Amino acid sequence: MSSKKVYKNAHDAMDGILRDGLTILSGGFGICGIAENITEEIKKSKIKDLTVVSNNCGIDGHGLGTLLQTRQIKKMISSYVGENKTFEEQYLNGDLELEFSPQGTLAERCRAGGAGIPAFFTKTGVGTVIAEGKETKIIDGVEYLMEKAIRGDLSIIKAWKGDDSGNLIFRKTARNFNPPMAKAGDICIVEVEQLVKTGELNPDHIHLPGIYVDRIFEGTYTGKKIEFITLTE
Amino acid sequence: MSWTREEMCNIAAQELKDGYYCNLGIGMPTKVANYIPEGVNVTLQSENGMLGMGPFPKQNEVDADIINAGKQTITELPETSYFDSSESFAMIRGGRIDLSILGALQVSEEGDLANWMIPGKMVKGMGGAMDLVAGVKKVLILMEHNARDGKPKLLKKCTLPLTGRSVVDTVITDLGKFDILPNGIQVKEIAPNVSIDEIRSKTEATIIN
């Protein structure tokens, strides 16, 4: 059942979705657990004026960093944008808008967006520039600030295994922002390392139920990149 | 003679108690893990979604899907669990983490922390630092006592943009260990051959000893 979700490759899976001005929610942390096949397809499509919500913006020449090089991104909502010279250049030139959101707040804004919660109160950022212009409230004697949920047009997600119904299993720290981002997009496209038939995954082991997934395909990978290989001394 | 960075890490490691869940920041705080006293069992959390972080891998153990919040390769342990970023910050914001060790640009006598940006310079972002200081039970700062130009970093008020307000509990510098109390900063330990007068002269914050 639900095999309608399955597509042959990134190109087919993106059919009819890509347009200028999309708000794209991207999973991944650094370059771990990023949807590289989908990102490549977005690059090829040349759509522009994108708003991208992602913890980081990849690195130069890899992941979302490639969409900076082609100047397809208009605005980023992120918690950390270091390790990326193109980003720095475009930001300092005023070519790129940037909204910082603390990492936990960013994750929760997307989780909330996917869970039908329009805003929430948090201690994170109280008394800092992050609180500027935001409503604050004292609850049981503690000051909190209100953060609004995030929703997007398109979620781009990478999982380890998925089945034809869209059920997903992630691998180790490559899970990171993928589940909250998957939940907050109007359309969620997933690339997996291994696509299996419905029924082959243990239902108790599913990290993200297929209800959140609209389209899924098996990606092609030529070895995973690592940002900093650090070995024991 | 002030403490070396290794000695500072070693002193910070004494704050780690058996059974603690800890989050160590990027840079010098990460190295504190090498000085955890024998017999003290500490579980390290990495905010990108891992509890029970092991040491850096050997060449043949490198796995691109196991990284820490500094994007360095690490290893898993028998007790390791993985989760997504919203779950990770639920345990941080929810007060389950006993201690976070972070670096700092400035700390005020009221416990305000500035460690994420210098206006006019390229801003890299706060990452998870604002969530950590707002949520964990205890915040320990590891930093040089003075900036490279000699300016104090323990101040009456921070001049740089804050990471959190009234969030720091303890500061370890190359000159000493300090607790932030309601009426000022108390010197708890002094590095060898450093006098309290030297500390006073290199500190802007109120020292209450």
Side-chain angles (χ1 to χ4, degrees):
Chain A
M1 72 164 261
S2 299
S3 59
K4 280 181 209 146
K5 291 186 180 182
V6 176
Y7 289 77
K8 202 169 70 202
N9 52 37
H11 183 77
D12 288 5
M14 307 297 273
D15 185 44
I17 290 174
L18 297 177
R19 58 179 164 78
D20 291 351
L22 282 177
T23 294
I24 297 177
L25 312 181
S26 172
F29 187 93
I31 53 170
C32 179
I34 56 170
E36 48 191 291
N37 287 257
I38 299 172
T39 306
E40 179 63 22
E41 197 57 36
I42 293 172
K43 183 183 157 193
K44 278 189 204 156
S45 77
K46 298 198 166 93
I47 56 168
K48 57 182 194 304
D49 295 330
L50 304 174
T51 295
V52 176
V53 183
S54 173
N55 187 56
N56 317 90
C57 196
I59 52 175
D60 285 310
H62 198 65
L64 292 171
T66 60
L67 302 184
L68 284 177
Q69 281 161 340
T70 50
R71 299 185 170 264
Q72 287 169 271
I73 301 177
K74 182 185 72 177
K75 181 180 178 182
M76 288 292 308
I77 303 178
S78 303
S79 85
Y80 188 85
V81 295
E83 276 80 64
N84 197 318
K85 282 208 174 63
T86 318
F87 192 106
E88 187 171 338
E89 236 170 67
Q90 291 183 17
Y91 175 68
L92 293 175
N93 288 342
D95 296 338
L96 183 65
E97 278 176 66
L98 170 63
E99 176 188 330
F100 273 129
S101 193
Q103 198 175 129
T105 294
L106 183 64
E108 189 63 12
R109 288 173 74 189
C110 295
R111 195 202 69 82
I117 295 171
F120 57 91
F121 284 90
T122 177
K123 272 193 291 189
T124 302
V126 168
T128 75
V129 292
I130 293 303
E132 283 173 14
K134 288 175 186 158
E135 186 183 331
T136 58
K137 206 171 197 141
I138 310 277
I139 301 173
D140 295 334
V142 180
E143 187 177 346
Y144 297 89
L145 63 90
M146 191 178 84
E147 291 280 4
K148 283 189 174 170
I150 293 176
R151 284 203 57 93
D153 302 304
L154 174 64
S155 303
I156 62 172
I157 302 303
K158 159 77 189 294
W160 179 38
K161 290 182 180 177
D163 69 17
D164 293 350
S165 301
N167 295 310
L168 303 182
I169 296 176
F170 300 91
R171 188 171 178 275
K172 304 185 188 289
T173 59
R175 191 179 325 181
N176 56 58
F177 271 86
N178 280 296
M181 292 300 183
K183 293 171 185 173
D186 291 342
I187 300 172
C188 173
I189 303 187
V190 181
E191 58 177 79
V192 293
E193 289 174 46
Q194 291 173 48
L195 184 64
V196 301
K197 293 277 172 243
T198 295
E200 287 182 34
L201 300 178
N202 183 334
D204 268 335
H205 293 175
I206 305 296
H207 294 138
L208 191 79
I211 194 166
Y212 295 108
V213 174
D214 297 291
R215 301 183 180 190
I216 188 167
F217 67 96
E218 192 172 276
T220 52
Y221 303 95
T222 48
K224 289 177 192 169
K225 273 207 161 58
I226 299 174
E227 206 163 327
F228 303 111
I229 296 178
T230 318
L231 301 175
T232 193
E233 280 150 28
Chain B
M1 200 172 63
S2 52
W3 284 324
T4 62
R5 292 167 80 86
E6 288 72 25
E7 286 166 328
M8 288 166 66
C9 288
N10 194 16
I11 289 157
Q14 310 307 314
E15 301 288 315
L16 306 179
K17 306 295 179 214
D18 196 40
Y20 264 22
Y21 291 99
C22 295
N23 183 297
L24 305 179
I26 295 166
M28 186 161 44
T30 303
K31 299 203 169 77
V32 173
N34 300 332
Y35 298 87
I36 299 173
E38 211 164 315
V40 173
N41 192 12
V42 169
T43 307
L44 300 178
Q45 199 251 18
S46 189
E47 65 265 28
N48 54 319
M50 183 181 194
L51 193 60
M53 191 168 49
F56 295 133
K58 299 191 186 95
Q59 184 75 54
N60 62 356
E61 294 172 329
V62 169
D63 185 330
D65 288 341
I66 315 181
I67 62 165
N68 64 17
K71 289 116 183 174
Q72 297 169 310
T73 47
I74 44 164
T75 53
E76 63 186 24
L77 299 169
E79 66 266 33
T80 297
S81 58
Y82 297 107
F83 32 83
D84 72 52
S85 299
S86 64
E87 175 63 44
S88 179
F89 283 93
M91 62 183 77
I92 289 169
R93 215 186 291 105
R96 299 282 172 170
I97 306 292
D98 297 289
L99 176 70
S100 181
I101 304 181
L102 296 166
L105 297 163
Q106 297 177 334
V107 175
S108 84
E109 62 190 42
E110 285 162 348
D112 295 351
L113 169 68
N115 76 349
W116 77 284
M117 78 173 283
I118 302 173
K121 294 203 176 171
M122 178 53 196
V123 182
K124 290 184 190 291
M126 72 290 285
M130 285 192 180
D131 308 277
L132 280 161
V133 299
V136 305
K137 287 185 193 152
K138 184 174 178 182
V139 173
L140 172 70
I141 297 298
L142 264 184
M143 68 176 193
E144 300 296 324
H145 200 87
N146 295 88
R148 276 195 198 132
D149 59 6
K151 283 194 184 127
K153 295 174 71 169
L154 273 172
L155 305 171
K156 290 191 185 303
K157 289 257 179 239
C158 295
T159 56
L160 294 170
L162 296 186
T163 310
R165 197 175 64 195
S166 297
V167 292
V168 177
D169 298 286
T170 299
V171 180
I172 294 168
T173 76
D174 46 324
L175 300 187
K177 181 178 147 189
F178 309 87
D179 277 352
I180 311 281
L181 300 179
N183 52 341
I185 290 179
Q186 186 172 51
V187 184
K188 301 294 284 186
E189 268 183 68
I190 301 181
N193 303 320
V194 173
S195 69
I196 185 104
D197 287 336
E198 180 182 351
I199 288 177
R200 278 182 207 281
S201 73
K202 290 180 171 174
T203 307
E204 185 201 282
T206 312
I207 292 191
I208 57 171
N209 291 62

